[in-house]
Each structure stands twice: as structure tokens, then as C-alpha cells.
Amino acid sequence: MKKGKKTISARQRFAMNLRKARLARDISQEELAELAELHRTYVGSVERGERNISIDNMERLATALQLDVIELLQGI
Amino acid sequence: MKKGKKTISARQRFAMNLRKARLARDISQEELAELAELHRTYVGSVERGERNISIDNMERLATALQLDVIELLQGI
């Protein structure tokens, strides 16, 4: 784990990792929302760190990206 | 990561890890709730997997146990 990862909240870590993983797969927010069966604008709000996302939705997004939730909470 | 960790949901992993970590520190649900500034009965419902807990509350509970959220999502 990188030093200082503590200073970034879990919410922000999830937001940044989600965006990074989505872009790495070259899919749009809409496509990810569809894969995760979530609303189109929801993914954007999560990626901006605006959403106090629930654990079940965290898992839906991770699964849609074929990742585990832990991977989307790694230190940045 | 243990094989087959996929079959247990993130919610259940968090519930089991939370309980394990709390008992390892020999503190009650009430004491943990107080440390995390959450309602007394909330911790019980999270530990039973009844609560679709938010990421901010996940972090409050982890911090109260001096852990990172990732540690409470490890495979069981």
C-alpha cells in the first residue's frame, strides 16, 4: 500500500479506481451503468465522489468490470 | 485470496470481518458503535448482513477498529 493512502477517503479511492478501471476497458459511463444495471447518471456521480455508494452497488460495479470490490479500494 | 471467495458477497464478507475484528479487540457492539459514532443497534444489523451499508459508514467502522476498509473486505 502506498504511504499516505489514509488521507484519501475510501469514497474517493473507489471513485478514482472505478474511473481508471472503466477507461482501461474503454467503456462509457452509460455502458458500465447498463452492465451493472444501474441508472445512467449514477456512475458519473460515483466517479465524481458525490455518491455515498452502498456496498451492494459497489459490488455490482466491480462485478460489471470483472473485478473484486477490494480492487476498487486500493490506495491511489 | 482464498479460492471461492467470489461466492460470498462483499456485504457478507464485511459483516463477518467486522465481527471478527471487533471480537479480537474484545469490544462490544455498543462500544464499537460509540467509537464510530453510529447508532447502538446499527453495528448488530451490519454484522448480521442485514444492512446495505454505505462506503462512508464502512470507513467509519474500519477507522474505529484502526483498520482500512480493504481489511474488512478480505476473503473469508
Side-chain angles (χ1 to χ4, degrees), chain A residues 3-70:
Chain A
K3 231 179 94 27
K5 78 170 175 24
K6 273 270 163 228
T7 51
I8 299 177
S9 72
R11 187 196 286 210
Q12 282 157 338
R13 276 190 274 159
F14 188 85
M16 288 188 264
N17 282 309
L18 182 67
R19 183 171 176 76
K20 212 165 87 176
R22 176 176 64 77
L23 294 174
R25 287 155 182 77
D26 198 23
I27 55 175
S28 67
Q29 289 179 348
E30 286 74 17
E31 285 165 329
L32 177 53
E34 209 173 301
L35 286 169
E37 294 175 13
L38 293 167
H39 192 272
R40 195 176 52 76
T41 58
Y42 185 84
V43 170
S45 62
V46 173
E47 287 190 1
R48 289 188 299 273
E50 293 165 1
R51 187 75 63 166
N52 188 13
I53 186 170
S54 72
I55 192 164
D56 291 355
N57 280 347
M58 288 166 70
E59 185 153 53
R60 286 169 79 143
L61 288 166
T63 305
L65 294 165
Q66 293 162 332
L67 293 172
D68 185 85
V69 175
I70 282 181

Side-chain angles (χ1 to χ4, degrees), chain A residues 1 5-6 8-11 13-14 51-59 63 67-70 73-75, chain B residues 1 5-6 8-11 13-14 51-59 63 67-70 73-75:
Chain A
M1 297 285 169
K5 78 170 175 24
K6 273 270 163 228
I8 299 177
S9 72
R11 187 196 286 210
R13 276 190 274 159
F14 188 85
R51 187 75 63 166
N52 188 13
I53 186 170
S54 72
I55 192 164
D56 291 355
N57 280 347
M58 288 166 70
E59 185 153 53
T63 305
L67 293 172
D68 185 85
V69 175
I70 282 181
L73 284 164
Q74 295 300 333
Chain B
M1 294 284 169
K5 77 169 176 24
K6 270 271 160 225
I8 300 176
S9 72
R11 187 196 285 210
R13 275 190 275 158
F14 188 86
R51 187 73 64 164
N52 186 15
I53 187 170
S54 73
I55 193 164
D56 290 355
N57 280 347
M58 288 166 69
E59 184 152 56
T63 304
L67 293 171
D68 185 271
V69 175
I70 283 182
L73 284 164
Q74 295 299 334

Side-chain angles (χ1 to χ4, degrees), chain B residues 14-35:
Chain B
F14 188 86
M16 289 188 265
N17 282 309
L18 183 68
R19 184 171 174 77
K20 212 165 87 179
R22 176 177 64 76
L23 292 176
R25 286 155 182 78
D26 198 22
I27 56 174
S28 68
Q29 290 179 349
E30 286 74 16
E31 284 164 329
L32 177 54
E34 209 173 301
L35 286 167

